[in-house]
Amino acid sequence: MSDLSRRIAGLVLLGAALALPLALEDFWLQLGLFVMATMVGAVGLTLLVGVAGQLSLGHAAFAAIGAYVYVWATSEATPTLAGAGLPAVAGLVLAVAMAALIGLLFSPVASRLRGIYLGLATLGLVFVVRHLLLNLDDWTGGFTGRSVEPFTIAGFSFSNRDPDYLAVAGVEFEGLHRLWYLFLVLTLLACWLGANLRTSRTGRAWANVRDSETAAAAMGIAVARHKASAFVVSSGYAGLAGAMLALAYGRLAPDVFTLLVSVDFLVMIVIGGLGSIGGAMVGALFVTALPLVLTQYSDVLPFLAAPGSGGLDPATLSRMLYGLAIIAVLVFLRGGLAGAFRRLRGGNAPTAASGAPDDTGGTPPTPPTDPDHPVGAQPVSSKETAR
């Protein structure tokens, strides 16, 4: 696919995303908010796992930190709950910064562990954060949670709580419509930043560390520092996703951020294709939308039973389909959906060359090098990836 074709396809998708709120019902608008929020989290995780090669099962913990920090920052203090009363934009920035800061504090552990050991260490974060959410009642509201303040910019409300009247083409824009466009902007910015990070000097250093820490260190790359930076970036993405989920839900409770959420994020990037920004977005769409759509139409699908009735309910069917999708990807589509798309458009099979995966799950071609310096034996002057 040529660059012109990609741009045209991107403009068509953007136009559709801008026009959809004019025709969608509230259920689909709410579904779109959840999908866009999880897309942001999935992009952050694919940078960490797919590009930098670090396994994490703690994405839900950082999303919870971002969500609750946003709620605390934007809420007014009451006799029973703490709050800073900051503007919504400041609360959003603080949520991302705090999640990234916690990721930075955890990065010494992340830089010393790898594989399943790092995964188990991050798994512990989920249980620690959940314990804090249940017991810090003054900050989190405990088991019952706390409500989320409407997002406002310069007095303009993005909520159904007393919103300013706004109509476009005869369609009144209520809270869900406004949040749709806010989330669309945040999602596009997050994906644009992720795509640029993946192809930047830092992204190439992450990929070199993923492929071989020993070779990366020999090339002059600060392995520990780049592993820590990947973890910090991914944590910040999770914090933004958590704040967006808080706005989409309207009320937070600890049960929103369980271990299953971390597993879902991993499923998203595996199905979409590790290291692929577009694949992470498609995986987030599949994993997030499937159970909600099945639940919405469970009364007209004869093979589905009501939740709790003992039959095949929408949640169980969704998990079964996730499992089948993962097996199909691992057996038939090693590059995920992004890799399958790459093969359909006539690309070459992924190679083992060092470098960050391209946006379709493959690997970019290795640039030509001087014959005196073949690939894999580059001189120390290639430190550009470490600075």
Side-chain angles (χ1 to χ4, degrees):
M1 183 182 292
S2 64
D3 289 340
L4 178 60
S5 300
R6 288 184 182 182
R7 292 174 182 174
I8 293 176
L11 290 175
V12 170
L13 291 176
L14 178 60
L18 292 173
L20 278 175
L22 300 176
L24 294 181
E25 299 177 351
D26 285 353
F27 166 76
W28 295 105
L29 290 172
Q30 188 79 51
L31 176 62
L33 299 183
F34 290 134
V35 168
M36 286 186 278
T38 54
M39 280 181 176
V40 173
V43 168
L45 189 60
T46 204
L47 290 175
L48 179 66
V49 179
V51 179
Q54 299 186 70
L55 177 62
S56 174
L57 292 172
H59 220 52
F62 293 104
I65 291 170
Y68 276 93
V69 167
Y70 173 80
V71 173
W72 166 82
T74 57
S75 300
E76 297 291 341
T78 66
T80 57
L81 293 173
L86 298 176
V89 175
L92 202 62
V93 173
L94 186 60
V96 175
M98 185 57 66
L101 176 60
I102 300 300
L104 178 63
L105 296 177
F106 188 79
S107 62
V109 177
S111 63
R112 287 169 172 79
L113 298 176
R114 58 190 302 180
I116 189 62
Y117 301 103
L118 177 58
L120 290 175
T122 56
L123 177 63
L125 288 175
V126 178
F127 298 110
V128 171
V129 169
R130 177 173 172 79
H131 176 77
L132 294 176
L133 295 181
L134 290 173
N135 290 277
L136 297 178
D137 295 353
D138 294 342
W139 296 79
T140 66
F143 181 79
T144 58
R146 59 187 302 178
S147 60
V148 181
E149 290 297 317
F151 193 91
T152 58
I153 297 180
F156 182 81
S157 175
F158 286 79
S159 169
N160 284 331
R161 302 183 196 174
D162 193 24
D164 304 311
Y165 179 78
L166 177 64
V168 176
V171 178
E172 183 178 355
F173 273 52
E174 300 178 337
L176 292 178
H177 297 84
R178 302 176 187 198
L179 282 177
W180 175 284
Y181 290 111
L182 173 67
F183 278 32
L184 182 60
V185 171
L186 293 176
T187 303
L188 291 177
L189 286 175
C191 293
W192 172 81
L193 178 60
N196 281 276
L197 271 174
R198 184 179 51 79
T199 57
S200 68
R201 187 176 302 174
T202 298
R204 296 195 299 272
W206 288 346
N208 286 326
V209 172
R210 175 202 65 204
D211 293 339
S212 173
E213 293 185 14
T214 302
M219 294 171 60
I221 296 174
V223 173
R225 178 162 61 87
H226 281 88
K227 290 177 71 174
S229 67
F231 207 88
V232 170
V233 170
S234 178
S235 302
Y237 267 85
L240 176 59
M244 294 170 67
L245 284 172
L247 289 169
Y249 278 110
R251 184 174 182 83
L252 277 184
D255 287 341
V256 174
F257 303 100
T258 62
L259 176 60
L260 287 178
V261 175
S262 289
V263 175
D264 284 344
F265 276 120
L266 278 176
V267 173
M268 294 173 195
I269 64 174
V270 170
I271 292 177
L274 289 176
S276 168
I277 303 299
M281 298 176 69
V282 175
L285 172 63
F286 173 75
V287 174
T288 305
L290 181 62
L292 296 177
V293 172
L294 289 177
T295 302
Q296 176 72 9
Y297 295 101
S298 60
D299 55 340
V300 297
L301 296 175
F303 53 86
L304 286 180
S309 63
L312 183 62
D313 59 83
T316 302
L317 178 59
S318 299
R319 298 294 173 186
M320 293 173 61
L321 293 177
Y322 295 166
L324 292 174
I326 293 174
I327 294 173
V329 166
L330 295 178
V331 175
F332 303 107
L333 303 174
R334 297 299 294 273
L337 296 177
F341 175 74
R342 182 173 183 271
R343 287 189 289 273
L344 285 175
R345 75 183 192 189
N348 296 325
T351 66
S354 176
D358 68 12
D359 199 34
T360 58
T363 308
T366 304
T369 58
D370 190 284
D372 294 331
H373 300 290
V375 177
Q378 295 186 13
V380 179
S381 60
S382 62
K383 283 184 179 178
E384 62 170 4
T385 58
R387 295 180 179 175

